[in-house]
Amino acid sequence: MNTRKTPLVKGFRQSAPYLNAHVGKTMVIMVGGEAIADPNFANIVNDIALLHSLGIHIVMVYGARPQITTLLAQQHYDSPYHKGIRITDAHSLEIAKQAAGQLQLDITARFSMGLNNTPMAGSQINVISGNFIIAQPLGIDDGIDFCHSGKIRRINNNAITSQLEQGSIVLLGPIASSVTGECFNLTSEEIATQVAIRLRADKLIGFCSEQGVIDNNGDIISELLPHDAEQVLQQLINNDDQQSGTGRFLRGAITACHAGVPRSHLLSYKQDGALIQELFSLDGIGTQIVMSNAEKIRRADINDIGGILDLIQPLEAEGILVRRSREQLEREITLFTVIELDNLIIGCAALYPYPDEKMAEMACVAIHPDFRDGDRGVLLLNKLCQQARDTDIDKIFVLTTRSVHWFREQGFYECDIEQLPVIKKDLYNYQRRSKILITNIN
């Protein structure tokens, strides 16, 4: 019988925890005009429809900056910018309304496709647009009148939430009305950011031409704290590139993060499937701006049983770890420490104390295979050493059949069975012939 796992099976199993974690969550997705003009936009729409079908609440905010610029250029009409914002006079406003209206119709039509060759064939998706945003004029700045360029005055949170709960995708464009009935041209990043904040969204997602924020070596920066993101934004400002898709999104993501939106994701609109890979893979492919480090090391609780079992069972099958039943884990769960990433357990270890001898055993050490290239084993060891010190433990020992060299590198030395606590000495399994290593921690 063929027992090899296909990439599809492996990928689906790895994505399952993320599927469960995202159901019922609210995501605000910002799609600039550049992304809409890209050939891959049809795939982005299909992926957003797929997220919607999984029970995720979607607010999609679209921009129209390049489309407006193109229409103005065709008429040989100049529409200058001030501090990165278009000065929208009466004629420019009419062009902006034309571009935004056309995009709204096109996006709605894409979501309405029922052709057999689309991933969402046969599904019914309701896309709702309306006067959810009330605008007001930006006014005059440095003597420059922004005319019909505006900013948000009020967001009808309840109306948006009601539509999401009824199963609709809410589609918001850059043109909004004021209480006096005038229309104003708003930036898509302000709308997306403020909607994410007011709805207390779980994620703000944006697209740029690159696959996230790129460092000086050309590598993707997978995670940024707000302070780090501010430094990246300052570099873009120094390079006069703050109006790029990356710069506009970072401004919004920093604001959203400080206001309580847990995560913002920046992806490439050019790569097919980038949205799915970012949300449903272990390490993602873009850049996250997070309120705090996404990876946490903490004491385990009863809700971690399933994650720990998923982590240790393959190692038990190989004979690397001693088998533990769910019942045993439930009894001993308070002895475990875990490393958590995006609600997934990617590392664990247990500390079994023997207070009479002032010793403790470090056991059941496991790191997810996709994350073994870091220092997570060392992090777990350091955490357990600190726990041992806090309880007046002087020595930690391990029994291992495969990891002798690693423990030696961490300062452990081999010893014989006579140095084990009495209870552990009586339980030693001579058939496994585990090596005994010990280290002093005080």
Side-chain angles (χ1 to χ4, degrees), residues 85-104:
I85 298 175
R86 188 190 302 274
I87 299 171
T88 311
D89 61 16
H91 182 72
S92 299
L93 177 63
E94 294 305 310
I95 297 298
K97 288 161 66 176
Q98 177 184 340
Q102 183 65 52
L103 289 179
Q104 177 186 331

Side-chain angles (χ1 to χ4, degrees), residues 27 44 91 214 222 225 236 251 254 278 297 311 321 363 376 395 423 432:
M27 299 183 187
I44 294 175
H91 182 72
I214 309 299
S222 60
L225 297 175
L236 293 174
R251 276 199 302 272
I254 292 167
E278 175 70 7
I297 183 167
L311 195 62
L321 294 180
R376 292 172 179 87
K395 297 180 179 181
I423 296 176
R432 282 181 62 84

Side-chain angles (χ1 to χ4, degrees), residues 141-206:
D141 181 73
D142 293 336
I144 303 296
D145 189 349
F146 279 105
C147 301
H148 293 279
S149 292
K151 60 182 179 180
I152 293 174
R153 177 177 181 177
R154 188 169 63 247
I155 298 173
N156 193 337
N157 305 342
N158 293 335
I160 295 175
T161 300
S162 176
Q163 293 298 332
L164 295 176
E165 290 176 347
Q166 292 178 42
S168 299
I169 292 177
V170 175
L171 180 64
L172 303 176
I175 305 298
S177 302
S178 70
V179 292
T180 60
E182 299 174 272
C183 289
F184 289 92
N185 182 23
L186 281 63
T187 64
S188 58
E189 54 266 30
E190 183 199 9
I191 295 174
T193 301
Q194 292 304 316
V195 168
I197 293 170
R198 308 289 176 83
L199 293 182
R200 298 182 180 178
D202 299 279
K203 292 181 184 293
L204 172 65
I205 299 171

Side-chain angles (χ1 to χ4, degrees), residues 33-288:
E34 298 86 357
I36 297 173
D38 193 84
N40 188 51
F41 180 63
N43 294 320
I44 294 175
V45 170
N46 288 336
D47 288 344
I48 293 173
L50 177 58
L51 297 183
H52 173 263
S53 74
L54 295 173
I56 297 171
H57 297 154
I58 301 292
V59 178
M60 182 175 175
V61 180
Y62 68 92
R65 181 176 296 210
Q67 287 80 4
I68 295 171
T69 299
T70 297
L71 290 176
L72 288 169
Q74 290 173 355
Q75 298 184 13
H76 306 287
Y77 194 86
D78 183 37
S79 178
Y81 284 79
H82 178 61
K83 293 184 176 179
I85 298 175
R86 188 190 302 274
I87 299 171
T88 311
D89 61 16
H91 182 72
S92 299
L93 177 63
E94 294 305 310
I95 297 298
K97 288 161 66 176
Q98 177 184 340
Q102 183 65 52
L103 289 179
Q104 177 186 331
L105 292 172
D106 290 345
I107 294 170
T108 302
R110 287 191 178 276
F111 278 114
S112 301
M113 289 176 66
L115 300 179
N116 291 330
N117 62 350
T118 65
M120 299 308 298
S123 64
Q124 179 65 44
I125 299 176
N126 294 321
V127 179
I128 302 296
S129 300
N131 58 341
F132 300 108
I133 307 293
I134 300 300
Q136 61 184 2
L138 279 173
I140 298 172
D141 181 73
D142 293 336
I144 303 296
D145 189 349
F146 279 105
C147 301
H148 293 279
S149 292
K151 60 182 179 180
I152 293 174
R153 177 177 181 177
R154 188 169 63 247
I155 298 173
N156 193 337
N157 305 342
N158 293 335
I160 295 175
T161 300
S162 176
Q163 293 298 332
L164 295 176
E165 290 176 347
Q166 292 178 42
S168 299
I169 292 177
V170 175
L171 180 64
L172 303 176
I175 305 298
S177 302
S178 70
V179 292
T180 60
E182 299 174 272
C183 289
F184 289 92
N185 182 23
L186 281 63
T187 64
S188 58
E189 54 266 30
E190 183 199 9
I191 295 174
T193 301
Q194 292 304 316
V195 168
I197 293 170
R198 308 289 176 83
L199 293 182
R200 298 182 180 178
D202 299 279
K203 292 181 184 293
L204 172 65
I205 299 171
F207 292 89
C208 65
S209 57
E210 303 288 346
Q211 192 59 280
V213 178
I214 309 299
D215 65 15
N216 293 331
N217 298 320
D219 298 321
I220 299 167
I221 301 175
S222 60
E223 182 177 289
L224 290 170
L225 297 175
H227 174 72
D228 301 321
E230 288 169 357
Q231 291 181 334
V232 174
L233 182 58
Q234 186 59 51
Q235 291 176 357
L236 293 174
I237 292 173
N238 295 340
N239 296 331
D240 198 27
D241 195 26
Q242 68 268 33
Q243 295 309 318
S244 65
T246 299
R248 297 200 304 270
F249 179 79
L250 282 179
R251 276 199 302 272
I254 292 167
T255 300
C257 196
H258 285 312
V261 177
R263 292 170 190 267
S264 297
H265 301 256
L266 183 60
L267 310 168
S268 171
Y269 57 73
K270 295 180 177 295
Q271 180 169 335
D272 184 13
L275 181 59
I276 300 301
Q277 291 183 68
E278 175 70 7
L279 296 179
F280 299 107
S281 64
L282 283 169
D283 45 4
I285 60 171
T287 297
Q288 292 187 68

Side-chain angles (χ1 to χ4, degrees), residues 275-340:
L275 181 59
I276 300 301
Q277 291 183 68
E278 175 70 7
L279 296 179
F280 299 107
S281 64
L282 283 169
D283 45 4
I285 60 171
T287 297
Q288 292 187 68
I289 295 87
V290 298
M291 293 172 62
S292 60
N293 195 293
E295 193 168 307
K296 301 175 183 177
I297 183 167
R298 59 171 176 80
R299 286 291 188 103
D301 60 43
I302 198 68
N303 296 317
D304 299 318
I305 296 289
I308 294 174
L309 283 172
D310 289 342
L311 195 62
I312 66 176
Q313 282 175 344
L315 299 176
E316 291 174 348
E318 294 180 43
I320 298 173
L321 294 180
V322 176
R323 291 188 180 274
R324 285 170 171 81
S325 66
R326 176 178 285 272
E327 291 74 17
Q328 182 181 354
L329 275 177
E330 290 176 355
R331 291 194 304 269
E332 299 176 350
I333 192 62
T334 57
L335 304 177
F336 276 76
T337 294
V338 296
I339 302 177
E340 178 188 20

Side-chain angles (χ1 to χ4, degrees), residues 340-395:
E340 178 188 20
L341 175 63
D342 289 342
N343 298 317
L344 289 178
I345 304 302
I346 64 168
C348 72
L351 189 69
Y352 294 87
Y354 296 87
D356 291 344
E357 292 92 344
K358 290 193 173 183
M359 298 178 72
E361 179 187 7
M362 182 178 181
C364 200
V365 182
I367 304 294
H368 191 284
D370 290 346
F371 295 91
R372 290 175 184 165
D373 55 352
D375 294 324
R376 292 172 179 87
V378 176
L379 289 175
L380 283 170
L381 174 60
N382 291 340
K383 188 72 171 179
L384 266 58
C385 285
Q386 186 57 54
Q387 293 174 16
R389 293 188 190 98
D390 293 342
T391 54
D392 294 325
I393 297 295
D394 294 331
K395 297 180 179 181

